[in-house]
PDB file of all heavy atoms in Angstrom:
ATOM      1  N   ARG A1518     -42.714 -29.675 -23.743  1.00 79.00           N
ATOM      2  CA  ARG A1518     -43.467 -30.912 -23.572  1.00 79.00           C
ATOM      3  C   ARG A1518     -43.204 -31.420 -22.154  1.00 79.00           C
ATOM      4  O   ARG A1518     -42.124 -31.184 -21.601  1.00 79.00           O
ATOM      5  CB  ARG A1518     -43.008 -31.943 -24.601  1.00 79.00           C
ATOM      6  CG  ARG A1518     -43.661 -31.718 -25.970  1.00 79.00           C
ATOM      7  CD  ARG A1518     -43.089 -32.633 -27.005  1.00 79.00           C
ATOM      8  NE  ARG A1518     -41.747 -32.194 -27.376  1.00 79.00           N
ATOM      9  CZ  ARG A1518     -40.673 -32.956 -27.307  1.00 79.00           C
ATOM     10  NH1 ARG A1518     -40.748 -34.199 -26.866  1.00 79.00           N
ATOM     11  NH2 ARG A1518     -39.486 -32.489 -27.662  1.00 79.00           N
ATOM     12  N   PRO A1519     -44.170 -32.136 -21.564  1.00 74.00           N
ATOM     13  CA  PRO A1519     -44.008 -32.562 -20.173  1.00 74.00           C
ATOM     14  C   PRO A1519     -42.700 -33.312 -19.946  1.00 74.00           C
ATOM     15  O   PRO A1519     -42.046 -33.121 -18.916  1.00 74.00           O
ATOM     16  CB  PRO A1519     -45.210 -33.486 -19.954  1.00 74.00           C
ATOM     17  CG  PRO A1519     -46.209 -33.057 -20.957  1.00 74.00           C
ATOM     18  CD  PRO A1519     -45.462 -32.504 -22.133  1.00 74.00           C
ATOM     19  N   GLU A1520     -42.274 -34.141 -20.920  1.00 73.00           N
ATOM     20  CA  GLU A1520     -41.062 -34.927 -20.676  1.00 73.00           C
ATOM     21  C   GLU A1520     -39.801 -34.050 -20.688  1.00 73.00           C
ATOM     22  O   GLU A1520     -38.739 -34.488 -20.264  1.00 73.00           O
ATOM     23  CB  GLU A1520     -40.944 -36.091 -21.668  1.00 73.00           C
ATOM     24  CG  GLU A1520     -40.855 -35.709 -23.143  1.00 73.00           C
ATOM     25  CD  GLU A1520     -42.230 -35.628 -23.792  1.00 73.00           C
ATOM     26  OE1 GLU A1520     -43.222 -35.402 -23.066  1.00 73.00           O
ATOM     27  OE2 GLU A1520     -42.324 -35.800 -25.023  1.00 73.00           O
ATOM     28  N   GLU A1521     -39.914 -32.817 -21.152  1.00 73.00           N
ATOM     29  CA  GLU A1521     -38.744 -31.938 -21.131  1.00 73.00           C
ATOM     30  C   GLU A1521     -38.580 -31.248 -19.784  1.00 73.00           C
ATOM     31  O   GLU A1521     -37.592 -30.567 -19.545  1.00 73.00           O
ATOM     32  CB  GLU A1521     -38.885 -30.852 -22.206  1.00 73.00           C
ATOM     33  CG  GLU A1521     -38.693 -31.356 -23.616  1.00 73.00           C
ATOM     34  CD  GLU A1521     -38.933 -30.252 -24.641  1.00 73.00           C
ATOM     35  OE1 GLU A1521     -40.031 -29.683 -24.660  1.00 73.00           O
ATOM     36  OE2 GLU A1521     -38.014 -29.974 -25.404  1.00 73.00           O
ATOM     37  N   LEU A1522     -39.568 -31.400 -18.930  1.00 70.00           N
ATOM     38  CA  LEU A1522     -39.536 -30.669 -17.667  1.00 70.00           C
ATOM     39  C   LEU A1522     -39.042 -31.541 -16.534  1.00 70.00           C
ATOM     40  O   LEU A1522     -39.315 -32.738 -16.505  1.00 70.00           O
ATOM     41  CB  LEU A1522     -40.954 -30.185 -17.320  1.00 70.00           C
ATOM     42  CG  LEU A1522     -41.505 -29.075 -18.205  1.00 70.00           C
ATOM     43  CD1 LEU A1522     -42.930 -28.775 -17.809  1.00 70.00           C
ATOM     44  CD2 LEU A1522     -40.658 -27.832 -18.080  1.00 70.00           C
ATOM     45  N   PRO A1523     -38.324 -30.931 -15.585  1.00 65.00           N
ATOM     46  CA  PRO A1523     -37.943 -31.692 -14.393  1.00 65.00           C
ATOM     47  C   PRO A1523     -39.185 -31.917 -13.534  1.00 65.00           C
ATOM     48  O   PRO A1523     -40.149 -31.167 -13.634  1.00 65.00           O
ATOM     49  CB  PRO A1523     -36.964 -30.765 -13.679  1.00 65.00           C
ATOM     50  CG  PRO A1523     -37.336 -29.412 -14.139  1.00 65.00           C
ATOM     51  CD  PRO A1523     -37.867 -29.557 -15.528  1.00 65.00           C
ATOM     52  N   PRO A1524     -39.151 -32.939 -12.691  1.00 60.00           N
ATOM     53  CA  PRO A1524     -40.338 -33.304 -11.916  1.00 60.00           C
ATOM     54  C   PRO A1524     -40.905 -32.130 -11.122  1.00 60.00           C
ATOM     55  O   PRO A1524     -42.112 -31.951 -11.067  1.00 60.00           O
ATOM     56  CB  PRO A1524     -39.824 -34.394 -10.966  1.00 60.00           C
ATOM     57  CG  PRO A1524     -38.521 -34.826 -11.513  1.00 60.00           C
ATOM     58  CD  PRO A1524     -38.005 -33.758 -12.403  1.00 60.00           C
ATOM     59  N   ALA A1525     -40.005 -31.334 -10.562  1.00 55.00           N
ATOM     60  CA  ALA A1525     -40.474 -30.254  -9.702  1.00 55.00           C
ATOM     61  C   ALA A1525     -41.384 -29.294 -10.457  1.00 55.00           C
ATOM     62  O   ALA A1525     -42.334 -28.752  -9.903  1.00 55.00           O
ATOM     63  CB  ALA A1525     -39.293 -29.480  -9.144  1.00 55.00           C
ATOM     64  N   MET A1526     -41.084 -29.081 -11.736  1.00 57.00           N
ATOM     65  CA  MET A1526     -41.875 -28.116 -12.476  1.00 57.00           C
ATOM     66  C   MET A1526     -43.146 -28.742 -13.026  1.00 57.00           C
ATOM     67  O   MET A1526     -44.125 -28.063 -13.276  1.00 57.00           O
ATOM     68  CB  MET A1526     -41.048 -27.517 -13.600  1.00 57.00           C
ATOM     69  CG  MET A1526     -39.901 -26.703 -13.060  1.00 57.00           C
ATOM     70  SD  MET A1526     -39.098 -25.746 -14.319  1.00 57.00           S
ATOM     71  CE  MET A1526     -40.228 -24.395 -14.543  1.00 57.00           C
ATOM     72  N   LYS A1527     -43.088 -30.065 -13.252  1.00 53.00           N
ATOM     73  CA  LYS A1527     -44.267 -30.749 -13.772  1.00 53.00           C
ATOM     74  C   LYS A1527     -45.408 -30.666 -12.781  1.00 53.00           C
ATOM     75  O   LYS A1527     -46.540 -30.421 -13.144  1.00 53.00           O
ATOM     76  CB  LYS A1527     -43.925 -32.218 -14.065  1.00 53.00           C
ATOM     77  CG  LYS A1527     -44.102 -32.557 -15.538  1.00 53.00           C
ATOM     78  CD  LYS A1527     -43.748 -33.991 -15.799  1.00 53.00           C
ATOM     79  CE  LYS A1527     -42.260 -34.171 -15.873  1.00 53.00           C
ATOM     80  NZ  LYS A1527     -41.828 -35.509 -16.187  1.00 53.00           N
ATOM     81  N   SER A1528     -45.057 -30.890 -11.506  1.00 49.00           N
ATOM     82  CA  SER A1528     -46.114 -30.938 -10.502  1.00 49.00           C
ATOM     83  C   SER A1528     -46.794 -29.576 -10.355  1.00 49.00           C
ATOM     84  O   SER A1528     -47.912 -29.474  -9.907  1.00 49.00           O
ATOM     85  CB  SER A1528     -45.530 -31.379  -9.159  1.00 49.00           C
ATOM     86  OG  SER A1528     -44.542 -30.456  -8.773  1.00 49.00           O
ATOM     87  N   GLY A1529     -46.077 -28.530 -10.743  1.00 50.00           N
ATOM     88  CA  GLY A1529     -46.642 -27.193 -10.637  1.00 50.00           C
ATOM     89  C   GLY A1529     -47.920 -27.028 -11.438  1.00 50.00           C
ATOM     90  O   GLY A1529     -48.726 -26.154 -11.147  1.00 50.00           O
ATOM     91  N   GLY A1530     -48.092 -27.861 -12.452  1.00 53.00           N
ATOM     92  CA  GLY A1530     -49.336 -27.830 -13.220  1.00 53.00           C
ATOM     93  C   GLY A1530     -49.295 -26.838 -14.356  1.00 53.00           C
ATOM     94  O   GLY A1530     -49.769 -27.115 -15.440  1.00 53.00           O
TER      95      GLY A1530
END
Side-chain angles (χ1 to χ4, degrees):
Chain A
R1518 279 174 286 124
E1520 61 270 25
E1521 287 176 302
L1522 290 176
M1526 294 191 77
K1527 241 179 281 183
S1528 60

